[in-house]
Amino acid sequence: MLLKVENLHAEIDDKEIIKGLNLEIKPGEIHAIMGPNGAGKSTLANVLVGRDEYEVTDGSIEFDGEDLDELDPEERAHKGMFLAFQYPVEIPGVSNKFFMQTAVNAVRNERGQPELDMFEFDEFAKEKIELLDMRSDLLDRSVNVGFSGGEKKRNDIFQMALLEPKLCIMDETDSGLDIDALKLVANGVNSLRSPDRSFIVVTHYQRLLDYIKPDYVHVLYDGKIVKSGGFELGQQLEEQGYDEIIRHYHNG
Amino acid sequence: MVEAAKITDLTHDAPFESQYEEIDELLSKKQFYKEGFITNTNVETFAKGINEDVVRAISEKKNEPQWMLDFRLKALKVWQSMEEPHWAKAEYEPLDYQDYSYYSAPECGSCAGECNTDEAGEPEIDPEVAKAFAELGVPIEGNSEVAVDAIFDSISVSTTKREELAKLGIIFCSFSEAVQDYPDLVQKYIATVVPVGDNYFAALNSAVASDGTFVYVPEGVHCPIELSTYFRINEAKTGQFERTILIAEKGSYVSYLEGCSAPVRDTYQLHAAVVEVIVHEDAEVKYSTVQNWYPGDEDCHGGILNFVTKRGICEGDNSKLSWTQAETGSAITWKYPSCILKGDNSIGEFYSVALTNRHQQADTGTKMIHIGKNTKSTIISKGLSAGFSDNTYRGLVKILPSAEGARNFTQCDSMLIGDKCGAHTFPYIEVGNSSAQMEHEATTSRIGEDQLFYCQQRGISEQDAISMIVNGFCKDVFSELPLEFAQEAEELLAISLEGSVG
């Protein structure tokens, strides 16, 4: 088991958002998490990677056999957790290259691998740029500054490729993307699929799932997973919306 | 006609208290100022106090000609008639000027002027002093690509590469030597850019000027190496009052750097320097400073009071003067490197990074005085405030009626790190010619929690993330520094942000 979430309760600003959530993910699996606004999707993504403002009040998160409770966000990153942001952040004056070289070496250090020097990193980055079919000037630009919405999301996928994580959490990566950008992001993700790499795809819409075929679809509502199923559950939701499931949840 | 005087003031505004707790914690970690060691050597230090006898004694010690003594005595009178200014946005008790010593020198170098006239060349350097400079990484042996003038308390102890430079006609020596060897040049230029009575500290400096650097680049000469001065204050309760004059003749070019540090002391130390730069027709001067004076203890007691007057004049047409500074140290900084753009088409530039941490206070900026036609000035100021510090940009852009077609671009960015610091911007703009074009941009930002989290999620520690974001913020200015200095400035910034001092 790569990720094991048990009876997770979490709050932000003293307000409980996640209320007893269970989730298990094996290596290589793709899980989609869907749900209406305010269900706790983004909170779940942030809690998993250890963002400060979110407090786990009960339950546990086990990653690769280790309890994450006491770990800082960077330590979780070193262990192989990656979050693709809903809104990737701009860092003026810091080149993507310097940023990612620092990140890659921090992770390599942790794994006991030697650091990559500038030339080695260039080679490594070039490979990934080709793999993802991205523009080669990507590295020279400041982190996300002046990037279009689609470019920012693709830059996150590029970072994912460089860091080679075990678990990629995509927090509504599809929001704000037009269909072409969506395809590009999905293709990027698909090229990074491997038997050792799992994905959690948090999304509002079925659309992204047409391109990234998940193994499982979960419906998150009121801080809990209220229904799980296969790929077909996503399609059903697209047609019928969440109402039926929500009604069922409240009734029973 | 005063066109605009915008004032933004973001004082101690604390809407995000909780998210800064950790940053504050990081910043208040154990502090370590690696330049803070004390050198024990035999020194000759004057008794505390300032009066006519002291001024005469300093002059005598330096074996100065009558005209220099007269200059000092006149300045002392002017100074005595003036009052200590307190208009800067920095709070400190009025200083007791009788409680400082105005001359201190390692003994075997104390003959300054005299032994340099000796055919044997360089005077012997006190081994303890040499050790101090070695520890500071200052190449006083001349084994570097940079020519160095090393100043220890009141005197210059070593100036390297002078023969090499002399072949090109470039004079690079201590101010004391210049008074002896090039009296005509010194008399021609001293106090022409910064008059004796310009301000309180300039007057004080003129009276008790210790040592400094003198640079003269003759017509048409492009100085092939960087010239630099390293200032070290060692003695406790001593003031350093260096006087630096830099002259670039027609069509010449020179890049000059200065660095500074001081040992850890428990009382304020005074540093009141005057720098005058004269740039003639078609000449260009690049003047860079990395200031790392001791900022004092946790509450900034014992730090350096850095009250400096730096000014240059673009005397000739098409001349250019560029100031670049990275200010990380001192308890209080009061400093406005300025350009008087007299020649037509002359260019003035000011690039500044000022970082304050703990209880440091900085009030710094520039003055661009446009006199000639089609003169251009650029001001890029990056202020960083952390801890409990206050960081103020104060700048004047003045377009005189004669300055037809003048242009100015000002960009003033402030970044707040933590929630107990202040950033202040006081831009003054006076326009007396309607053909002038003025641009002013200003931003204030905080290191965002979202930026930090983004970095951390990619595996970068919070400390490295702060330093990365800050260096990114300062990049426009650091790219103006000579390469080796840019590196040093970046490191200094990182150290300063570790909660160590800068």
Side-chain angles (χ1 to χ4, degrees):
Chain A
M1 200 63 63
L2 180 66
L3 181 76
K4 192 172 176 188
V5 180
E6 266 184 322
N7 187 34
L8 182 69
H9 289 256
E11 57 180 45
I12 179 165
D13 298 333
D14 297 327
K15 188 168 178 244
E16 186 169 61
I17 308 285
I18 302 292
K19 305 169 181 174
L21 185 139
N22 297 293
L23 182 66
E24 292 194 352
I25 296 178
K26 294 196 187 77
E29 289 178 351
I30 298 190
H31 290 241
I33 299 207
M34 302 184 73
N37 280 329
K41 300 191 297 293
S42 278
T43 300
L44 175 62
N46 281 294
V47 168
L48 289 177
V49 296
R51 191 163 188 160
D52 276 348
E53 302 98 292
Y54 297 86
E55 197 188 340
V56 174
T57 50
D58 200 5
S60 66
I61 305 169
E62 216 180 271
F63 181 70
D64 220 3
E66 191 177 351
D67 191 337
L68 292 184
D69 194 31
E70 294 296 316
L71 296 187
D72 288 336
E74 61 265 37
E75 293 170 307
R76 297 182 196 212
H78 298 157
K79 302 232 173 283
M81 290 183 110
F82 182 92
L83 176 68
F85 285 64
Q86 188 173 358
Y87 305 107
V89 177
E90 298 184 4
I91 309 177
V94 177
S95 76
N96 231 349
K97 181 175 171 179
F98 180 65
F99 178 71
M100 284 316 297
Q101 193 185 351
T102 309
V104 165
N105 282 333
V107 171
R108 288 179 69 91
N109 257 329
E110 198 56 35
R111 292 178 187 159
Q113 295 165 321
E115 294 196 359
L116 297 180
D117 67 21
M118 236 180 335
F119 305 107
E120 292 162 340
F121 180 78
D122 268 351
E123 284 297 309
F124 180 57
K126 219 174 107 192
E127 254 170 56
K128 302 295 182 187
I129 285 178
E130 280 164 15
L131 175 72
L132 299 174
D133 194 20
M134 290 190 176
R135 278 168 52 177
S136 53
D137 69 348
L138 183 72
L139 281 173
D140 303 324
R141 299 164 66 182
S142 286
V143 180
N144 294 326
V145 176
F147 284 34
S148 70
E151 281 178 318
K152 286 183 183 176
K153 302 290 171 76
R154 292 178 69 200
N155 192 25
D156 260 23
I157 305 299
F158 171 60
Q159 296 179 3
M160 186 191 281
L162 287 171
L163 290 170
E164 302 178 325
K166 289 180 185 150
L167 175 65
C168 307
I169 303 164
M170 304 180 60
D171 185 10
E172 301 200 25
T173 297
D174 49 344
S175 70
L177 293 188
D178 62 31
I179 193 74
D180 294 329
L182 188 76
K183 272 190 209 167
L184 284 167
V185 166
N187 288 342
V189 171
N190 286 331
S191 62
L192 296 176
R193 288 175 85 149
S194 94
D196 311 319
R197 185 168 294 139
S198 310
F199 288 82
I200 296 177
V201 182
V202 175
T203 181
H204 229 42
Y205 303 106
Q206 167 65 23
R207 223 170 39 163
L208 180 63
L209 304 184
D210 289 339
Y211 298 102
I212 305 173
K213 295 246 166 16
D215 302 304
Y216 300 94
V217 175
H218 308 279
V219 177
L220 184 66
Y221 178 71
D222 194 26
K224 291 189 267 291
I225 287 174
V226 295
K227 193 172 172 74
S228 297
F231 175 60
E232 70 291 346
L233 176 58
Q235 286 170 318
Q236 185 193 328
L237 288 169
E238 182 75 0
E239 285 157 25
Q240 299 168 2
Y242 298 107
D243 289 357
E244 180 63 30
I245 294 169
I246 291 169
R247 207 173 313 129
H248 192 256
Y249 166 72
H250 283 298
N251 292 337
Chain B
M1 166 172 80
V2 176
E3 198 136 89
K6 256 196 301 182
I7 292 179
T8 43
D9 196 339
L10 276 131
T11 317
H12 308 293
D13 151 35
F16 309 110
E17 195 131 15
S18 62
Q19 79 180 45
Y20 285 101
E21 271 166 24
E22 267 189 49
I23 300 177
D24 286 342
E25 207 179 285
L26 274 172
L27 291 170
S28 61
K29 271 186 192 156
K30 198 174 175 297
Q31 278 126 26
F32 180 63
Y33 179 70
K34 71 176 163 50
E35 290 82 2
F37 60 86
I38 294 169
T39 304
N40 290 311
T41 176
N42 291 331
V43 291
E44 182 183 15
T45 302
F46 280 16
K48 285 174 186 171
I50 177 168
N51 53 45
E52 196 181 315
D53 290 342
V54 168
V55 171
R56 283 181 186 279
I58 293 171
S59 191
E60 195 178 332
K61 202 80 216 164
K62 291 175 172 289
N63 203 19
E64 284 175 355
Q66 186 65 35
W67 61 265
M68 190 62 205
L69 175 63
D70 293 344
F71 174 81
R72 288 176 183 278
L73 291 172
K74 191 181 119 208
L76 179 69
K77 284 223 167 58
V78 173
W79 178 69
Q80 283 166 337
S81 71
M82 296 173 90
E83 274 181 32
E84 191 180 84
H86 278 270
W87 48 261
K89 193 156 176 44
E91 280 169 32
Y92 58 98
E93 293 291 309
L95 301 174
D96 180 359
Y97 291 88
Q98 301 302 339
D99 195 34
Y100 284 93
S101 165
Y102 291 82
Y103 185 86
S104 170
E107 268 192 338
C108 64
S110 61
C111 45
E114 280 169 294
C115 32
N116 284 327
T117 54
D118 193 346
E119 286 305 312
E122 291 288 307
E124 287 280 308
I125 301 169
D126 182 318
E128 285 301 311
V129 175
K131 218 173 89 189
F133 280 114
E135 198 159 329
L136 294 164
V138 180
I140 56 169
E141 306 295 340
N143 50 354
S144 145
E145 284 309 298
V146 177
V148 179
D149 183 14
I151 297 181
F152 196 83
D153 288 332
S154 302
I155 67 147
S156 168
V157 294
S158 161
T159 317
T160 65
K161 306 251 182 210
R162 22 207 306 166
E163 290 84 10
E164 205 177 317
L165 292 166
K167 282 181 200 144
L168 297 165
I170 297 170
I171 302 168
F172 178 54
C173 65
S174 71
F175 177 74
S176 306
E177 287 169 75
V179 168
Q180 304 293 335
D181 301 343
Y182 311 99
D184 296 344
L185 278 174
V186 175
Q187 282 185 86
K188 183 175 172 191
Y189 289 107
I190 193 168
T192 56
V193 190
V194 180
V196 168
D198 185 81
N199 67 69
Y200 189 79
F201 300 109
L204 176 62
N205 174 284
S206 302
V208 298
S210 36
D211 215 335
T213 306
F214 183 83
V215 177
Y216 176 86
V217 188
E219 186 171 335
V221 172
H222 186 285
C223 184
I225 53 174
E226 311 268 0
L227 305 184
S228 77
T229 303
Y230 196 92
F231 298 101
R232 175 79 176 166
I233 297 179
N234 186 57
E235 275 303 294
K237 280 262 158 190
T238 302
Q240 192 175 54
F241 306 93
E242 80 268 7
R243 186 97 193 182
T244 292
I245 301 178
L246 198 157
I247 303 143
E249 287 286 9
K250 189 174 169 183
S252 66
Y253 168 86
V254 64
S255 171
Y256 175 82
L257 336 165
E258 57 180 20
C260 10
S261 69
V264 172
R265 298 286 188 189
D266 56 6
T267 49
Y268 281 139
Q269 294 174 85
L270 183 59
H271 175 250
V274 171
V275 174
E276 298 179 278
V277 180
I278 298 99
V279 194
H280 290 288
E281 200 178 326
D282 297 320
E284 180 180 346
V285 173
K286 223 174 138 52
Y287 195 112
S288 314
T289 306
V290 172
Q291 187 259 105
N292 180 28
W293 291 119
Y294 176 56
D297 63 13
E298 196 65 36
D299 298 320
C300 286
H301 290 136
I304 298 279
L305 304 178
N306 194 31
F307 299 149
V308 171
T309 308
K310 289 185 169 174
R311 196 176 301 156
I313 181 164
C314 285
E315 182 75 48
D317 294 351
N318 312 313
S319 54
K320 179 175 174 184
L321 171 58
S322 182
W323 299 101
T324 305
Q325 59 173 22
E327 302 277 323
T328 61
S330 301
I332 300 175
T333 299
W334 181 94
K335 181 181 168 191
Y336 315 89
S338 306
C339 300
I340 300 167
L341 303 172
K342 191 172 159 199
D344 290 347
N345 311 314
S346 60
I347 297 172
E349 294 175 337
F350 175 73
Y351 300 99
S352 168
V353 166
L355 168 77
T356 53
N357 195 358
R358 299 190 270 157
H359 287 87
Q360 282 177 277
Q361 307 175 82
D363 192 313
T364 183
T366 184
K367 286 191 275 188
M368 294 289 175
I369 314 292
H370 292 252
I371 301 172
K373 292 188 184 61
N374 301 316
T375 44
K376 274 190 284 195
S377 61
T378 303
I379 300 172
I380 310 257
S381 164
K382 305 276 183 178
L384 287 148
S385 333
F388 299 88
S389 68
D390 269 305
N391 200 329
T392 301
Y393 167 80
R394 187 187 302 276
L396 168 69
V397 179
K398 187 170 184 168
I399 313 285
L400 271 71
S402 56
E404 193 69 26
R407 296 189 64 168
N408 165 262
F409 174 77
T410 300
Q411 185 184 338
C412 253
D413 297 326
S414 308
M415 184 179 267
L416 299 167
I417 307 167
D419 56 3
K420 293 178 183 67
C421 49
H424 318 272
T425 308
F426 301 103
Y428 304 90
I429 302 171
E430 294 175 25
V431 179
N433 185 313
S434 59
S435 67
Q437 291 184 50
M438 317 290 290
E439 286 176 71
H440 185 102
E441 290 177 9
T443 65
T444 303
S445 57
R446 283 175 193 274
I447 285 197
E449 188 276 336
D450 54 343
Q451 282 178 325
L452 286 180
F453 176 64
Y454 192 70
C455 296
Q456 285 177 280
Q457 210 301 305
R458 299 299 181 248
I460 300 166
S461 73
E462 192 167 30
Q463 184 72 63
D464 288 349
I466 291 177
S467 140
M468 185 184 276
I469 293 165
V470 162
N471 276 305
F473 175 75
C474 301
K475 202 173 186 182
D476 296 349
V477 173
F478 286 167
S479 63
E480 293 295 324
L481 283 172
L483 204 57
E484 54 276 70
F485 256 41
Q487 180 75 25
E488 190 185 332
E490 278 187 29
E491 281 164 14
L492 258 182
L493 219 55
I495 294 167
S496 304
L497 282 165
E498 266 166 26
S500 170
V501 296

